[in-house]
mmCIF file of all heavy atoms in Angstrom:
data_model
loop_
_atom_site.group_PDB
_atom_site.id
_atom_site.type_symbol
_atom_site.label_atom_id
_atom_site.label_comp_id
_atom_site.label_asym_id
_atom_site.label_seq_id
_atom_site.Cartn_x
_atom_site.Cartn_y
_atom_site.Cartn_z
ATOM 1 N N TYR A 95 24.449 28.691 2.306
ATOM 2 C CA TYR A 95 25.421 27.791 2.925
ATOM 3 C C TYR A 95 26.061 26.960 1.818
ATOM 4 O O TYR A 95 25.360 26.377 0.985
ATOM 5 C CB TYR A 95 24.668 26.903 3.919
ATOM 6 C CG TYR A 95 25.495 25.879 4.641
ATOM 7 C CD1 TYR A 95 26.636 26.239 5.357
ATOM 8 C CD2 TYR A 95 25.098 24.539 4.654
ATOM 9 C CE1 TYR A 95 27.372 25.281 6.044
ATOM 10 C CE2 TYR A 95 25.831 23.588 5.347
ATOM 11 C CZ TYR A 95 26.964 23.962 6.032
ATOM 12 O OH TYR A 95 27.686 23.023 6.710
ATOM 13 N N ILE A 97 27.892 23.806 0.354
ATOM 14 C CA ILE A 97 28.144 22.389 0.637
ATOM 15 C C ILE A 97 29.119 21.908 -0.426
ATOM 16 O O ILE A 97 28.737 21.627 -1.569
ATOM 17 C CB ILE A 97 26.834 21.590 0.628
ATOM 18 C CG1 ILE A 97 25.968 22.092 1.791
ATOM 19 C CG2 ILE A 97 27.111 20.090 0.749
ATOM 20 C CD1 ILE A 97 24.673 21.405 1.979
ATOM 21 N N ARG A 101 34.177 21.603 2.245
ATOM 22 C CA ARG A 101 33.428 22.494 3.134
ATOM 23 C C ARG A 101 34.235 23.655 3.707
ATOM 24 O O ARG A 101 34.238 23.885 4.904
ATOM 25 C CB ARG A 101 32.839 21.692 4.296
ATOM 26 C CG ARG A 101 32.008 20.550 3.837
ATOM 27 C CD ARG A 101 30.732 20.468 4.567
ATOM 28 N NE ARG A 101 29.863 19.509 3.892
ATOM 29 C CZ ARG A 101 28.693 19.142 4.329
ATOM 30 N NH1 ARG A 101 28.234 19.650 5.436
ATOM 31 N NH2 ARG A 101 27.957 18.304 3.661
ATOM 32 N N TRP A 116 31.298 15.710 7.369
ATOM 33 C CA TRP A 116 30.138 15.105 6.720
ATOM 34 C C TRP A 116 29.457 14.203 7.727
ATOM 35 O O TRP A 116 30.099 13.540 8.530
ATOM 36 C CB TRP A 116 30.580 14.335 5.488
ATOM 37 C CG TRP A 116 30.973 15.276 4.418
ATOM 38 C CD1 TRP A 116 32.086 16.065 4.421
ATOM 39 C CD2 TRP A 116 30.247 15.588 3.243
ATOM 40 N NE1 TRP A 116 32.087 16.845 3.295
ATOM 41 C CE2 TRP A 116 30.977 16.571 2.543
ATOM 42 C CE3 TRP A 116 29.052 15.131 2.687
ATOM 43 C CZ2 TRP A 116 30.543 17.106 1.330
ATOM 44 C CZ3 TRP A 116 28.633 15.650 1.477
ATOM 45 C CH2 TRP A 116 29.376 16.624 0.822
ATOM 46 N N THR A 117 28.101 14.209 7.676
ATOM 47 C CA THR A 117 27.360 13.448 8.675
ATOM 48 C C THR A 117 26.586 12.326 8.011
ATOM 49 O O THR A 117 26.520 12.236 6.787
ATOM 50 C CB THR A 117 26.356 14.369 9.386
ATOM 51 O OG1 THR A 117 25.664 15.116 8.385
ATOM 52 C CG2 THR A 117 27.056 15.319 10.330
ATOM 53 N N HIS A 120 20.235 12.467 8.461
ATOM 54 C CA HIS A 120 19.773 13.532 9.371
ATOM 55 C C HIS A 120 18.690 14.364 8.711
ATOM 56 O O HIS A 120 18.559 14.378 7.489
ATOM 57 C CB HIS A 120 20.936 14.460 9.762
ATOM 58 C CG HIS A 120 21.508 15.220 8.600
ATOM 59 N ND1 HIS A 120 22.342 14.644 7.667
ATOM 60 C CD2 HIS A 120 21.339 16.501 8.198
ATOM 61 C CE1 HIS A 120 22.671 15.536 6.749
ATOM 62 N NE2 HIS A 120 22.065 16.688 7.036
ATOM 63 N N ASP A 122 17.869 18.559 8.754
ATOM 64 C CA ASP A 122 18.785 19.668 8.998
ATOM 65 C C ASP A 122 18.552 20.334 10.365
ATOM 66 O O ASP A 122 17.429 20.710 10.704
ATOM 67 C CB ASP A 122 18.665 20.702 7.870
ATOM 68 C CG ASP A 122 19.251 20.148 6.569
ATOM 69 O OD1 ASP A 122 20.271 19.427 6.641
ATOM 70 O OD2 ASP A 122 18.684 20.405 5.492
ATOM 71 N N SER A 133 14.519 22.760 3.089
ATOM 72 C CA SER A 133 15.838 23.110 2.574
ATOM 73 C C SER A 133 15.789 23.038 1.060
ATOM 74 O O SER A 133 15.095 22.180 0.493
ATOM 75 C CB SER A 133 16.899 22.133 3.093
ATOM 76 O OG SER A 133 16.898 22.114 4.511
ATOM 77 N N LEU A 135 18.410 22.824 -2.070
ATOM 78 C CA LEU A 135 19.821 22.566 -2.381
ATOM 79 C C LEU A 135 20.006 22.601 -3.893
ATOM 80 O O LEU A 135 19.250 21.974 -4.632
ATOM 81 C CB LEU A 135 20.188 21.182 -1.821
ATOM 82 C CG LEU A 135 21.622 20.707 -1.945
ATOM 83 C CD1 LEU A 135 22.582 21.620 -1.174
ATOM 84 C CD2 LEU A 135 21.751 19.276 -1.393
ATOM 85 N N GLY A 145 28.301 10.685 -5.547
ATOM 86 C CA GLY A 145 27.805 11.953 -5.021
ATOM 87 C C GLY A 145 26.293 12.067 -4.962
ATOM 88 O O GLY A 145 25.754 13.173 -4.879
ATOM 89 N N ASP A 146 25.575 10.939 -4.986
ATOM 90 C CA ASP A 146 24.103 10.988 -4.903
ATOM 91 C C ASP A 146 23.661 11.340 -3.475
ATOM 92 O O ASP A 146 24.368 11.051 -2.514
ATOM 93 C CB ASP A 146 23.493 9.621 -5.236
ATOM 94 C CG ASP A 146 23.880 9.122 -6.621
ATOM 95 O OD1 ASP A 146 24.552 9.859 -7.366
ATOM 96 O OD2 ASP A 146 23.507 7.976 -6.935
ATOM 97 N N THR A 147 22.469 11.907 -3.379
ATOM 98 C CA THR A 147 21.869 12.168 -2.058
ATOM 99 C C THR A 147 20.650 11.256 -1.908
ATOM 100 O O THR A 147 19.876 11.112 -2.852
ATOM 101 C CB THR A 147 21.419 13.639 -1.945
ATOM 102 O OG1 THR A 147 22.502 14.482 -2.318
ATOM 103 C CG2 THR A 147 21.010 13.977 -0.510
ATOM 104 N N GLN A 148 20.490 10.678 -0.722
ATOM 105 C CA GLN A 148 19.313 9.835 -0.464
ATOM 106 C C GLN A 148 18.376 10.544 0.508
ATOM 107 O O GLN A 148 18.832 11.282 1.385
ATOM 108 C CB GLN A 148 19.745 8.498 0.114
ATOM 109 C CG GLN A 148 20.531 7.665 -0.891
ATOM 110 C CD GLN A 148 21.042 6.380 -0.261
ATOM 111 O OE1 GLN A 148 20.268 5.503 0.073
ATOM 112 N NE2 GLN A 148 22.343 6.288 -0.098
ATOM 113 N N TRP A 255 22.591 13.600 -9.072
ATOM 114 C CA TRP A 255 22.657 15.021 -9.425
ATOM 115 C C TRP A 255 23.245 15.264 -10.813
ATOM 116 O O TRP A 255 24.134 14.539 -11.256
ATOM 117 C CB TRP A 255 23.571 15.744 -8.438
ATOM 118 C CG TRP A 255 23.014 15.898 -7.065
ATOM 119 C CD1 TRP A 255 23.194 15.046 -6.007
ATOM 120 C CD2 TRP A 255 22.213 16.971 -6.590
ATOM 121 N NE1 TRP A 255 22.544 15.533 -4.902
ATOM 122 C CE2 TRP A 255 21.937 16.717 -5.233
ATOM 123 C CE3 TRP A 255 21.681 18.133 -7.177
ATOM 124 C CZ2 TRP A 255 21.166 17.579 -4.443
ATOM 125 C CZ3 TRP A 255 20.926 18.980 -6.397
ATOM 126 C CH2 TRP A 255 20.668 18.705 -5.046
ATOM 127 N N TRP A 263 13.419 19.860 -0.091
ATOM 128 C CA TRP A 263 12.810 18.840 0.784
ATOM 129 C C TRP A 263 12.124 19.467 1.988
ATOM 130 O O TRP A 263 12.494 20.526 2.467
ATOM 131 C CB TRP A 263 13.802 17.780 1.224
ATOM 132 C CG TRP A 263 14.983 18.216 2.035
ATOM 133 C CD1 TRP A 263 15.066 18.314 3.395
ATOM 134 C CD2 TRP A 263 16.287 18.549 1.533
ATOM 135 N NE1 TRP A 263 16.325 18.686 3.772
ATOM 136 C CE2 TRP A 263 17.102 18.842 2.654
ATOM 137 C CE3 TRP A 263 16.853 18.618 0.260
ATOM 138 C CZ2 TRP A 263 18.443 19.217 2.527
ATOM 139 C CZ3 TRP A 263 18.182 18.994 0.140
ATOM 140 C CH2 TRP A 263 18.949 19.286 1.257
ATOM 141 N N HIS A 270 17.784 12.929 5.276
ATOM 142 C CA HIS A 270 18.562 12.717 4.055
ATOM 143 C C HIS A 270 19.976 12.305 4.418
ATOM 144 O O HIS A 270 20.424 12.491 5.556
ATOM 145 C CB HIS A 270 18.557 13.965 3.170
ATOM 146 C CG HIS A 270 19.041 15.203 3.853
ATOM 147 N ND1 HIS A 270 18.233 15.953 4.687
ATOM 148 C CD2 HIS A 270 20.236 15.820 3.857
ATOM 149 C CE1 HIS A 270 18.918 16.983 5.154
ATOM 150 N NE2 HIS A 270 20.141 16.919 4.676
ATOM 151 N N LEU A 271 20.644 11.760 3.424
ATOM 152 C CA LEU A 271 22.011 11.256 3.622
ATOM 153 C C LEU A 271 22.906 11.839 2.541
ATOM 154 O O LEU A 271 22.716 11.569 1.350
ATOM 155 C CB LEU A 271 22.008 9.727 3.518
ATOM 156 C CG LEU A 271 23.366 9.038 3.658
ATOM 157 C CD1 LEU A 271 23.945 9.228 5.053
ATOM 158 C CD2 LEU A 271 23.239 7.542 3.349
ATOM 159 N N ALA A 272 23.869 12.646 2.980
ATOM 160 C CA ALA A 272 24.846 13.189 2.024
ATOM 161 C C ALA A 272 25.805 12.059 1.645
ATOM 162 O O ALA A 272 26.023 11.136 2.427
ATOM 163 C CB ALA A 272 25.603 14.341 2.670
ATOM 164 N N PRO A 273 26.388 12.124 0.461
ATOM 165 C CA PRO A 273 27.249 11.025 0.015
ATOM 166 C C PRO A 273 28.609 11.041 0.704
ATOM 167 O O PRO A 273 29.131 12.101 1.021
ATOM 168 C CB PRO A 273 27.432 11.328 -1.471
ATOM 169 C CG PRO A 273 27.325 12.819 -1.549
ATOM 170 C CD PRO A 273 26.328 13.223 -0.507
ATOM 171 N N ARG A 283 32.818 18.559 -5.799
ATOM 172 C CA ARG A 283 31.353 18.569 -5.707
ATOM 173 C C ARG A 283 30.966 19.849 -4.986
ATOM 174 O O ARG A 283 31.386 20.070 -3.854
ATOM 175 C CB ARG A 283 30.866 17.343 -4.933
ATOM 176 C CG ARG A 283 29.329 17.228 -4.814
ATOM 177 C CD ARG A 283 28.997 15.937 -4.086
ATOM 178 N NE ARG A 283 27.573 15.631 -4.033
ATOM 179 C CZ ARG A 283 26.774 16.002 -3.038
ATOM 180 N NH1 ARG A 283 27.246 16.715 -2.025
ATOM 181 N NH2 ARG A 283 25.493 15.650 -3.050
ATOM 182 N N LEU A 285 27.672 22.314 -4.020
ATOM 183 C CA LEU A 285 26.255 22.633 -3.993
ATOM 184 C C LEU A 285 26.060 23.807 -3.047
ATOM 185 O O LEU A 285 26.950 24.103 -2.218
ATOM 186 C CB LEU A 285 25.414 21.438 -3.509
ATOM 187 C CG LEU A 285 25.543 20.147 -4.334
ATOM 188 C CD1 LEU A 285 26.609 19.242 -3.750
ATOM 189 C CD2 LEU A 285 24.226 19.392 -4.383
ATOM 190 N N ARG A 287 23.020 25.650 -0.393
ATOM 191 C CA ARG A 287 21.744 25.365 0.260
ATOM 192 C C ARG A 287 21.182 26.598 0.931
ATOM 193 O O ARG A 287 21.952 27.400 1.495
ATOM 194 C CB ARG A 287 21.976 24.279 1.318
ATOM 195 C CG ARG A 287 20.705 23.695 1.890
ATOM 196 C CD ARG A 287 21.019 22.631 2.918
ATOM 197 N NE ARG A 287 21.269 23.224 4.220
ATOM 198 C CZ ARG A 287 21.758 22.568 5.262
ATOM 199 N NH1 ARG A 287 22.080 21.292 5.173
ATOM 200 N NH2 ARG A 287 21.948 23.175 6.410
HETATM 201 C C1 LIG L 1 22.874 18.311 3.221
HETATM 202 O O1 LIG L 1 23.017 17.543 4.163
HETATM 203 O O2 LIG L 1 22.088 19.254 3.273
HETATM 204 C C2 LIG L 1 23.670 18.093 1.952
HETATM 205 C C3 LIG L 1 23.292 16.899 1.189
HETATM 206 C C4 LIG L 1 24.297 16.591 0.130
HETATM 207 O O3 LIG L 1 25.401 17.139 0.124
HETATM 208 O O4 LIG L 1 23.988 15.766 -0.725
#
Side-chain angles (χ1 to χ4, degrees):
Y95 179 54
I97 295 182
R101 305 226 169 176
W116 288 70
T117 47
H120 64 284
D122 290 323
S133 303
L135 183 63
D146 302 356
T147 309
Q148 293 176 68
W255 289 92
W263 62 89
H270 56 279
L271 178 65
R283 182 177 186 268
L285 302 93
R287 191 180 84 190

